[in-house]
Amino acid sequence: MLPKECKISKVEDENQATKTIFVECKDKPQPGQFYMVWVPGVGQKPFSVAGVSPLRFSVCAVGEFSRKFASMKKGEKIWLFGPYGNFFEPQGKKIVAIGGGYGTGPMRYAARIAKKKGDEPIVVIGARSKDKLMKGETGVRTVFTTDDGSEGMKGNVVDALKKILQEEKIDEVYACGPEKMMGAVGKLCIEKKIKCQLLLERYMKCGFGMCGQCSIGEILVCFDGPVFDAKIVEHPEFGKFHRDCAGRKVLL
Ligand SMILES: Cc1cc2nc3c(=O)[nH]c(=O)nc-3n(C[C@H](O)[C@H](O)[C@H](O)COP(=O)(O)OP(=O)(O)OC[C@H]3O[C@@H](n4cnc5c(N)ncnc54)[C@H](O)[C@@H]3O)c2cc1C
Ligand code: FES
């Protein structure tokens, strides 16, 4: 497959470390799908779709590739392989979509699509403090949480989910973020018998099932996912082990 050459059309600040990058590309991938983004001379990494028309990615600058990607300007070009992977399949009308860190991008997109279909999504966005929250427009009912209480509800996204579940009848939960957070969301939903789908963002190399880098035991996140039923949290490797950049299985 040849990559698509795409020009950056706009860059929006989300917070100090995170930008949303809009590109000129007519693709309309589904919420949950991802692209391998190639920046010549730097490398290629997977990024979840954070919206379409125009296609966009929310990029948190943490290492060499993401720092370069997040610093790119309008008019510069990137190359895209994909879209890859499965996507969220709505199974209810009242959906809570939970985003931690850069997982917020695909959750906002999933919620916007759900609203367009006539569903009633609530987005829950969490961060350690106000300056780390992803504050871009969601277009739907939104609950912010911060660990230190500097904005929104004091606590984490799991506390917010528990509160919502006490107050309202929820059909389904989506989540994307650190595995520890998704583990807690998944376990809570299994316990409460609420449908739940999790978007996993494991370290990937090939993105299409060849290298084994993204494995959780026998499961390949890029090929079998990246969206999984909450039951994935019961896998003995979930939230405990991952593979480092050399492919070694190490503690998470
Ligand atoms: C399916 C999928 C979708 C993804 N979608 C997105 C997305 O929408 N936006 C996005 O920004 N990234 C996303 N990622 C992560 C992205 O692919 C890169 O792994 C990430 O940008 C780090 O790459 P790097 O080369 O910059 O840093 P690396 O050199 O790989 O990592 C630098 C350091 O930062 C740590 N680190 C890596 N990621 C994080 C993090 N998120 N928070 C804190 N520390 C971290 C590493 O452990 C390492 O110590 C996704 C990953 C997958 C598998
Ligand atoms: S990233 Fe290579 S198998 Fe998933």
Side-chain angles (χ1 to χ4, degrees), residues 169-238:
K169 159 106 179 59
I170 297 298
D171 299 317
E172 188 170 25
V173 174
Y174 299 162
C176 182
E179 271 192 28
K180 203 170 157 214
M181 176 275 266
M182 288 199 284
V185 169
K187 279 181 193 146
L188 181 65
C189 290
I190 291 170
E191 185 193 310
K192 303 263 182 207
K193 297 191 170 44
I194 295 170
K195 289 182 206 116
C196 173
Q197 297 174 64
L198 304 173
L199 168 53
L200 270 51
E201 295 188 333
R202 285 232 153 177
Y203 194 98
M204 289 182 184
K205 281 188 179 160
C206 69
F208 52 86
M210 292 290 285
C211 69
Q213 177 70 39
C214 63
S215 68
I216 300 181
E218 68 295 352
I219 298 163
L220 294 176
V221 172
C222 67
F223 190 75
D224 301 315
V227 178
F228 292 89
D229 183 89
K231 285 201 294 280
I232 188 86
V233 306
E234 292 172 343
H235 192 289
E237 288 198 6
F238 183 92

Side-chain angles (χ1 to χ4, degrees), residues 8 14 20 41 44 71 85 100 110 126 129 134 137 159 176 197-198 215 223:
I8 295 174
E14 294 274 357
T20 291
Q44 69 169 35
S71 71
S129 54
M134 278 181 61
E137 184 56 40
D159 299 326
C176 182
Q197 297 174 64
L198 304 173
S215 68
F223 190 75

Side-chain angles (χ1 to χ4, degrees), residues 100-207:
Y102 59 71
T104 300
M107 291 296 90
R108 289 190 305 213
Y109 176 37
R112 282 197 299 271
I113 293 285
K115 189 178 173 190
K116 231 175 168 177
K117 287 185 184 147
D119 295 337
E120 295 169 39
I122 306 168
V123 176
V124 177
I125 299 173
R128 281 203 295 278
S129 54
K130 181 180 177 172
D131 55 315
K132 296 192 171 60
L133 272 175
M134 278 181 61
K135 296 290 292 292
E137 184 56 40
T138 65
V140 305
R141 186 178 147 199
T142 304
V143 175
F144 289 106
T145 72
T146 49
D147 295 355
D148 64 0
S150 50
E151 180 147 348
M153 181 184 149
K154 186 173 186 328
N156 61 32
V157 291
V158 184
D159 299 326
L161 175 62
K162 284 180 184 160
K163 187 164 181 286
I164 292 169
L165 294 179
Q166 274 167 9
E167 293 167 357
E168 302 175 45
K169 159 106 179 59
I170 297 298
D171 299 317
E172 188 170 25
V173 174
Y174 299 162
C176 182
E179 271 192 28
K180 203 170 157 214
M181 176 275 266
M182 288 199 284
V185 169
K187 279 181 193 146
L188 181 65
C189 290
I190 291 170
E191 185 193 310
K192 303 263 182 207
K193 297 191 170 44
I194 295 170
K195 289 182 206 116
C196 173
Q197 297 174 64
L198 304 173
L199 168 53
L200 270 51
E201 295 188 333
R202 285 232 153 177
Y203 194 98
M204 289 182 184
K205 281 188 179 160
C206 69

